[in-house]
Amino acid sequence: QVQLVESGGGLVQAGGSLRLSCAASGSIFSINTMGWYRQAPGKQRELVAAIFSGGSPNYPDSVKGRFTISRDNAKNTVTLQMNSLKPEDTAVYYCNAVVHTTDSFIKNYWGQGTQVTVSS
């Protein structure tokens, strides 16, 4: 089994910054992709940022230039630095990892979610 534990959400004013962190632990052989998704009330979950094992990040246009994702492969952690936050960034943010487990399966795991609220 694999667990993803997130930290770093909270309340911030528009224009401010927040940093989210996620640590993966458990039956991990390797991690292919790590990323962050978000879900606002009444909306579908959407990709915020993803980073592949080789280190190439991927962002949608809505956060490009404001958010930066990074990962530490040795520690199985991923971090999302969010700058110039907007009220529309308000959502529950979920950590995601595609894990090659020690029993030779490739599985998709999610964290429990952390609330990010941006006030105007």
Side-chain angles (χ1 to χ4, degrees):
Q1 196 54 275
V2 174
Q3 298 80 38
L4 302 182
V5 178
E6 301 143 341
S7 61
L11 173 64
V12 66
Q13 287 188 332
S17 298
L18 280 175
R19 186 179 180 91
L20 305 182
S21 296
C22 174
S25 63
S27 305
I28 299 170
F29 178 77
S30 65
I31 302 179
N32 297 339
T33 305
M34 300 191 82
W36 292 91
Y37 289 72
R38 66 187 180 189
Q39 187 165 20
K43 294 188 177 181
Q44 289 189 331
R45 191 172 296 190
E46 63 176 1
L47 174 70
V48 175
I51 186 165
F52 305 99
S53 58
S56 299
N58 181 36
Y59 308 97
D61 289 342
S62 58
V63 307
K64 199 172 292 183
R66 300 188 298 122
F67 291 9
T68 302
I69 189 171
S70 59
R71 66 186 282 179
D72 185 328
N73 292 328
K75 296 181 179 179
N76 290 330
T77 59
V78 62
T79 299
L80 183 69
Q81 178 66 42
M82 304 184 293
N83 298 329
S84 302
L85 282 161
K86 305 175 181 180
E88 51 263 44
D89 294 319
T90 295
V92 177
Y93 283 68
Y94 296 90
C95 178
N96 174 265
V98 178
V99 177
H100 187 177
T101 63
T102 53
D103 55 355
S104 300
F105 289 97
I106 296 177
K107 296 181 179 179
N108 194 33
Y109 291 95
W110 294 93
Q112 78 282 2
T114 185
Q115 178 69 45
V116 171
T117 302
V118 184
S119 63
S120 56

